[in-house]
Amino acid sequence: EESDWSSDVCSSDLPALAWPTQIRIGAGAGILTLGILIAVSGVVAFRRARTTVNPMRPDGASALVASGIYRYTRNPMYLGMLLVLIGCAVYLARPWALLVLPLFVLYMNRFQIEPEERVLERIFGAEFEAYRRRVRRWL
């Protein structure tokens, strides 16, 4: 007897959201793919600028990247991760999977993005401040 992977992984007393399987799979895969593409475009832009991609070492930044995907979001890699989580949540169609999303955003803002932005402001000063005023953190 074959089992549905999402049922095995997500067996809980919480009911699944009433989304048709084809919509769950199609929308989930589409959103996940979009997330991967956005995150990869952020990495590619950093590589082209020859600056660090390591989120644990923002002090190693050698260039402020404000072109490409960075014209629309200051954090395409984190936005991409969020979209991957959204895609997975849509596929799983479980309420708890949707609850993870705001927790991810709150955590990333507080413990990753804000410290990174303090370092970038110290390194790039007015250039980063102008960029921050021009481009939103997420979208």
Side-chain angles (χ1 to χ4, degrees):
E1 173 181 320
E2 288 187 42
S3 66
D4 179 15
W5 177 84
S6 64
S7 300
D8 294 343
V9 170
C10 302
S11 60
S12 75
D13 294 334
L14 290 174
L17 300 171
W19 296 339
T21 302
Q22 289 178 329
I23 290 176
R24 281 190 313 118
I25 293 171
I31 295 167
L32 183 137
T33 301
L34 179 63
I36 291 169
L37 292 172
I38 288 173
V40 167
S41 70
V43 171
V44 168
F46 270 30
R47 293 283 186 216
R48 284 185 179 148
R50 297 187 187 338
T51 192
T52 183
V53 178
N54 185 347
M56 304 310 289
R57 298 294 320 243
D59 54 330
S62 59
L64 179 63
V65 180
S67 60
I69 190 74
Y70 288 92
R71 290 178 296 170
Y72 308 104
T73 175
R74 295 196 313 258
N75 296 286
M77 291 176 244
Y78 302 141
L79 175 61
M81 288 179 207
L82 176 62
L83 289 170
V84 166
L85 289 173
I86 291 170
C88 291
V90 167
Y91 171 75
L92 295 173
R94 298 288 179 173
W96 63 263
L98 297 173
L99 294 175
V100 169
L101 304 174
L103 296 175
F104 174 80
V105 171
L106 291 170
Y107 179 86
M108 293 305 289
N109 279 338
R110 173 71 176 94
F111 296 105
Q112 190 63 45
I113 295 171
E114 289 173 8
E116 283 178 4
E117 289 185 343
R118 284 192 293 273
V119 171
L120 294 174
E121 187 172 18
R122 189 182 77 239
I123 294 171
F124 299 108
E127 182 183 8
F128 178 72
E129 188 55 41
Y131 174 66
R132 181 171 30 203
R133 281 194 304 272
R134 191 173 63 249
V135 179
R136 298 181 86 158
R137 180 176 278 174
W138 289 91
L139 272 181

